[in-house]
Amino acid sequence: MTTTKRVALVGCGTVSSNHLHALLSVEGICVCALCDVRIERAEQARDTFFPQARVYTDFDTMLREEELYAVHICTPHYLHAPMTKAALARDIHVFLEKPMAITAEDMDALIEAEKNSRGRVCVCFQNRFSPAFLRAKELCDADGGIQTAAATVIWQRTREYYTESGWRGRMATEGGGVMVNQAIHTIDLLCQCLGKPTEVIATCANHHLKDVNDVEDTCEGIIRFDSGKQASFFATTASVAQKDITSILLFTAHHTVEIRMPYLYIDAETVEKTEDDRWFVGKACYGSGHACLIPRFYEALEGGDPMPVSLVSARAAHDIFLAAHRSNDTPVSIS
Ligand SMILES: NC(=O)c1ccc[n+]([C@@H]2O[C@H](COP(=O)([O-])OP(=O)(O)OC[C@H]3O[C@@H](n4cnc5c(N)ncnc54)[C@H](O)[C@@H]3O)[C@@H](O)[C@H]2O)c1
């Protein structure tokens, strides 16, 4: 007889409902603990999703008092590395929201900590498993593969988005702006398409909300890959338009496939809708990928299989945002 695995979540803010909603349909687990420094948020998550869960305001106390199989980490960026290390030290598996960490030292330390633990870490790059991305890759592969790509992330984030969070917009707590928070998914997909990044040339700027933010709201540049291929990108949270648009153009020998989840535009003529709106939970820009990736994480743990998004495979997108921050319009190598 298999026993029910005990799972917890820390950080019951905006994105946590995507995790908790997905966890409702994972078999063989129970969400037994929820933690947030703002207890009312943990209580609301409990009342909405898992009424039997215990509520905590301190992460270490939760780790000490609960015998956990896995923990979902949905806290501000600067807490990702220390919380993941604390869980791994107790051999607890971690489903970790992006970014994995905000400094290169912490990224190295996490990869090392996982090697010394029986716990495994999966990073939440859910868009790798979105039907739109998988279908786009399939179409490109059928035409001999992707030759080059261009991505735009044009979003608007308001003053309140930063001032009310207590952590966004600050280098010390967010680790950067649009590159580390909003564009990192798109950058990760470019790496999935074109290979290992070797060089970045970029410019970053803070155009608006200068009085509240010390991070970039806009960044553009070129990424070169070991395959010899290149991608260009432009990302901003300073858009004046209220609708967030993320577009990835994939160029093959004869065609252009544009991903605008959940839609694909093939040669700007044919439109395919790759999934039903009912799969979307929370903000539309998150896509439906949490519901695709979270069950895969538990299946991989159960089967002893590689993590669907390992720390090592997630590292490339992180190296790119670190290089973009340093570039200042000169090429930065990525080893
Ligand atoms: N994968 C995605 O598409 C996606 C989408 C949105 C956010 N995210 C990521 O999820 C994480 C959280 O983002 P969010 O928008 O939900 O932020 P949020 O600010 O809404 O939520 C964070 C929560 O963590 C809590 N918290 C802060 N310090 C804590 C501590 N020491 N112990 C326990 N709880 C603590 C806060 O009170 C808050 O409720 C970020 O890493 C973000 O980048 C990912």
Side-chain angles (χ1 to χ4, degrees):
M1 196 177 78
T2 54
T3 50
T4 305
K5 312 273 186 355
R6 296 167 59 78
V7 171
L9 179 143
V10 62
C12 302
T14 316
V15 82
S16 64
S17 57
N18 289 66
H19 291 243
L20 295 169
H21 192 270
L23 284 166
L24 283 172
S25 49
V26 176
E27 284 179 16
I29 62 146
C30 76
V31 175
C32 63
L34 296 161
C35 176
D36 199 294
V37 282
R38 293 174 63 172
I39 192 164
E40 71 281 5
R41 291 191 173 183
E43 287 171 344
Q44 191 185 347
R46 175 197 63 194
D47 297 346
T48 310
F49 292 100
F50 295 99
Q52 78 287 2
R54 284 180 71 188
V55 160
Y56 292 85
T57 54
D58 181 69
F59 183 63
D60 292 326
T61 308
M62 179 174 80
L63 293 189
R64 237 184 1 258
E65 292 188 3
E66 301 286 337
E67 274 201 19
L68 295 175
Y69 175 72
V71 63
H72 289 236
I73 297 181
C74 303
T75 45
H77 297 176
Y78 70 103
L79 294 169
H80 291 188
M83 285 182 164
T84 302
K85 279 190 261 178
L88 287 174
R90 292 173 178 271
D91 293 325
I92 297 167
H93 304 301
V94 178
F95 188 85
L96 175 60
E97 264 301 350
K98 41 57 64 166
M100 61 191 264
I102 57 176
T103 65
E105 294 70 29
D106 273 344
M107 291 169 200
D108 292 339
L110 278 193
I111 290 169
E112 207 47 40
E114 193 192 32
K115 284 184 195 154
N116 298 320
S117 170
R118 284 199 295 274
R120 300 273 75 87
V121 183
C122 178
V123 181
C124 191
F125 277 147
Q126 76 273 11
N127 292 344
R128 288 190 194 181
F129 301 93
S130 72
F133 180 65
L134 296 175
R135 173 80 179 126
K137 285 261 285 172
E138 188 180 281
L139 288 169
C140 292
D141 288 346
D143 191 34
I146 299 159
Q147 296 192 335
T148 186
T152 45
V153 178
I154 301 180
W155 291 17
Q156 184 193 72
R157 288 295 173 269
T158 60
R159 174 176 296 274
E160 293 70 36
Y161 173 80
Y162 295 99
T163 54
E164 288 170 9
S165 80
W167 63 275
R168 297 191 186 100
R170 292 281 155 200
M171 193 53 101
T173 47
E174 192 178 12
V178 66
M179 285 300 282
V180 63
N181 200 335
Q182 288 79 19
I184 194 169
H185 289 291
T186 307
I187 299 294
D188 179 63
L189 294 187
L190 293 177
C191 297
Q192 295 303 299
C193 291
L194 297 174
K196 183 182 171 329
T198 54
E199 189 179 84
V200 174
I201 180 164
T203 53
C204 293
N206 181 11
H207 290 310
H208 81 152
L209 307 177
K210 290 177 190 289
D211 55 329
V212 288
N213 292 354
D214 68 7
V215 297
E216 86 285 357
D217 61 26
T218 303
C219 182
E220 54 76 33
I222 291 174
I223 309 164
R224 300 198 171 94
F225 295 86
D226 63 352
S227 55
K229 296 173 181 173
Q230 303 191 83
S232 62
F233 67 90
F234 172 80
T236 189
T237 48
S239 170
V240 293
Q242 282 176 9
K243 191 170 167 49
D244 295 341
I245 305 272
T246 303
S247 155
I248 304 177
L249 290 162
L250 303 174
F251 302 96
T252 62
H254 307 97
H255 298 286
T256 307
V257 177
E258 180 181 9
I259 306 171
R260 262 193 269 160
M261 288 191 304
Y263 294 96
L264 293 184
Y265 297 82
I266 300 144
D267 295 327
E269 287 166 3
T270 316
V271 185
E272 262 190 36
K273 191 172 186 194
T274 56
E275 59 189 316
D276 201 302
D277 290 339
R278 70 197 154 95
W279 294 112
F280 286 82
V281 177
K283 289 189 192 172
C285 58
Y286 301 169
S288 63
H290 286 88
C292 302
L293 177 54
I294 288 170
R296 284 172 199 249
F297 166 61
Y298 286 98
E299 280 160 25
L301 290 176
E302 189 68 20
D305 300 327
M307 286 290 95
V309 184
S310 68
L311 286 171
V312 171
S313 84
R315 178 70 192 256
H318 293 70
D319 286 337
I320 290 170
F321 84 69
L322 291 172
H325 285 167
R326 288 205 314 277
S327 168
N328 195 20
D329 207 19
T330 57
V332 174
S333 298
I334 297 177
S335 54

